[in-house]
Amino acid sequence: MNISAPRRANGAITIGLCLVVALLEGLDLQSTGVAAPRMAREFHLAVAQMGWAFSVGALGLLPGAAIGGRLADRMGRKRVLMLSVALFGLFSIATTQVWNFESLLAARFMTGLGLGAAMPNLIALCSEAVPPQQRSTAVGAMYCGMPFGAAIAAVIGIVSPGDEGWRHIFYVGGIGPLLTLPLLALFLKESAQFIATRSDDAAHHEAAPGVARALWKEGRAGTTLALWVSFLGTLIVLYFLINWLPSMVLSRGLTRTQSGVVQMMFNIGGGIGAIVIAGLMDRIGRRPTVTGMYVGIAGALAVLASASTGATMAFGGLLAGLFLVGGQSVLYALASSIYPTQVRGTGVGAAVAVGRMGSILGPLIAGQLLAIGQSASVLVAASIPLIAVAAVAALLVVARFPRGQFMAVAH
């Protein structure tokens, strides 16, 4: 009898369910941007107020990731994921019932908390559902749901008619997670590694490690710091492009249709990159994958900075999505590999939270520089040194944990 067959089946089910949740998360993260013009007309919101509506959801992601990761190590990955999914589902529906600017901010902040808390648990569940040598592939397969979910949000926005149609996207973003909850309850298995670790701790009467020990003790301080630098630098550039790429296309004198094509190519590239680049880590090793990934990011930025036609902008958008979004899945896989099971949720959650700071800082810094007269092309080119710093930090993480040692901490 092949005892590994049920384990492989459970792993595939876990990754599939986590992919569905990531798809819904990507949809919800994109929903405010898609619905913004019609929401602004209905509630008579100024541009600055819409900026707050965008930012408050991102602000909720940061504490959500840190808290969700910490609770994962205490309560279990499955339980916290289900609570997170329920939270962002309920408050996405609540967004359809808002009556003014303040109620909109409250609903989006609470949605952000749920979305932020889900991601560390998705990463932990996928990385612990497969053998260590398949961990990066599993995390990448889950994370590809994010850009595809964002693309679905854009489609819903297009096919929803009239000014009232903006509510449709939030209904989908809320009902979808609530319908997923019974599937998670019935078919999602708690991480066997987490259960075994908790049993060992109980047998030896050991308390769960504190945050300081999880992140900074037992030789992890330098690794944690380098991981945070790589997350922050990469996500500053990623979210700068997510927010400003359409404006950059229009500033070149191209049409809104061409801008939409560039954005679509960015999302397609992101979905492909999340699967392919993370999977390469398991096949050719971490150092060549991370090196190639950051060289690809720098090349994509150079193409975007110099592009002048719709075709070259679309090609640059495809490359940027491929390597930046793919790079994010690689960093998630690295984070899940360098922390032992006992503190994996805390370590991954903290790294995700630091990355969420980049999602706030990137658009904010870019907006301020554009306001004083810098062009988007100059900002894209200026992002290349930041990517170089992030690359050095990620390679330091890899150097501290060669392939064998990554696997050693998996158990």
Side-chain angles (χ1 to χ4, degrees):
M1 180 179 177
N2 185 3
I3 59 172
S4 65
R7 188 177 303 170
R8 285 199 300 269
N10 286 336
I13 291 170
T14 295
I15 294 168
L17 289 171
C18 289
L19 170 63
V20 171
V21 176
L23 191 80
L24 293 167
E25 180 159 352
L27 186 152
D28 209 301
L29 284 171
Q30 192 75 16
S31 59
T32 305
V34 174
R38 284 180 276 189
M39 292 170 68
R41 285 196 294 271
E42 179 169 333
F43 296 110
H44 308 291
L45 302 178
V47 174
Q49 289 176 308
M50 286 312 302
W52 273 107
F54 292 142
S55 299
V56 75
L59 287 173
L61 294 172
L62 200 157
I67 295 168
R70 185 62 182 155
L71 289 177
D73 290 334
R74 292 183 173 272
M75 298 171 55
R77 286 78 160 106
K78 175 180 176 177
R79 186 181 303 176
V80 179
L81 178 62
M82 290 182 65
L83 290 171
S84 305
V85 170
L87 186 64
F88 77 73
L90 288 170
F91 279 97
S92 185
I93 292 176
T95 305
T96 68
Q97 305 302 312
V98 297
W99 59 93
N100 59 16
F101 177 59
E102 290 73 22
S103 61
L104 173 63
L105 293 185
R108 297 318 296 163
F109 179 80
M110 295 302 296
T111 306
L113 277 179
L115 293 168
M119 183 52 68
N121 289 278
L122 293 173
I123 295 168
L125 280 164
C126 289
S127 65
E128 293 170 1
V130 296
Q133 62 270 23
Q134 298 173 5
R135 175 169 292 142
S136 301
T137 302
V139 173
M142 173 275 295
Y143 190 69
C144 77
M146 294 284 287
F148 290 140
I152 291 172
V155 172
I156 295 171
I158 292 170
V159 301
S160 299
D163 283 349
E164 288 289 318
W166 67 265
R167 288 180 169 83
H168 296 167
I169 189 170
F170 293 106
Y171 278 123
V172 175
I175 294 172
L178 298 183
L179 291 177
T180 305
L181 281 175
L183 299 178
L184 298 177
L186 290 171
F187 300 111
L188 182 65
K189 302 292 185 184
E190 179 57 273
S191 163
Q193 289 184 32
F194 172 78
I195 294 171
T197 300
R198 288 297 296 268
S199 298
D200 289 344
D201 289 346
H204 294 92
H205 305 288
E206 293 182 7
V211 175
R213 178 182 158 195
L215 299 178
W216 307 109
K217 304 294 184 182
E218 301 173 358
R220 286 191 287 269
T223 304
T224 292
L225 184 60
L227 185 71
W228 286 8
V229 170
S230 62
F231 263 78
L232 186 62
T234 307
L235 263 77
I236 284 176
V237 177
L238 172 60
Y239 279 88
F240 155 55
L241 282 182
I242 286 174
N243 283 270
W244 290 102
L245 187 57
S247 299
M248 186 167 70
V249 176
L250 295 175
S251 72
R252 306 282 171 84
L254 302 176
T255 66
R256 292 194 177 275
T257 301
Q258 289 172 310
S259 175
V261 169
V262 173
Q263 199 73 5
M264 182 181 68
M265 296 300 286
F266 180 88
N267 284 324
I268 291 171
I272 296 170
I275 302 172
V276 173
I277 297 180
L280 283 174
M281 285 230 296
D282 291 331
R283 290 169 174 80
I284 68 173
R286 294 171 173 87
R287 187 185 300 277
T289 302
V290 170
T291 302
M293 173 186 88
Y294 279 107
V295 169
I297 293 173
L301 293 174
V303 171
L304 285 174
S306 60
S308 57
T309 67
T312 53
M313 285 295 295
F315 180 62
L318 178 69
L319 290 179
L322 185 72
F323 290 108
L324 272 168
V325 179
Q328 187 58 35
S329 68
V330 165
L331 293 179
Y332 284 151
L334 283 180
S336 71
S337 298
I338 66 176
Y339 295 102
T341 303
Q342 194 178 30
V343 297
R344 182 168 289 131
T346 302
V348 172
V352 173
V354 170
R356 296 304 187 190
M357 289 177 59
S359 72
I360 299 169
L361 290 174
L364 181 63
I365 294 170
Q368 295 299 314
L369 292 173
L370 289 169
I372 62 173
Q374 296 294 331
S375 70
S377 297
V378 170
L379 294 186
V380 170
S383 299
I384 295 177
L386 182 58
I387 284 298
V389 172
V392 170
L395 288 170
L396 286 174
V397 174
V398 173
R400 289 178 65 88
F401 286 88
R403 188 178 181 86
Q405 288 179 270
F406 271 98
M407 293 182 183
V409 299
H411 303 288

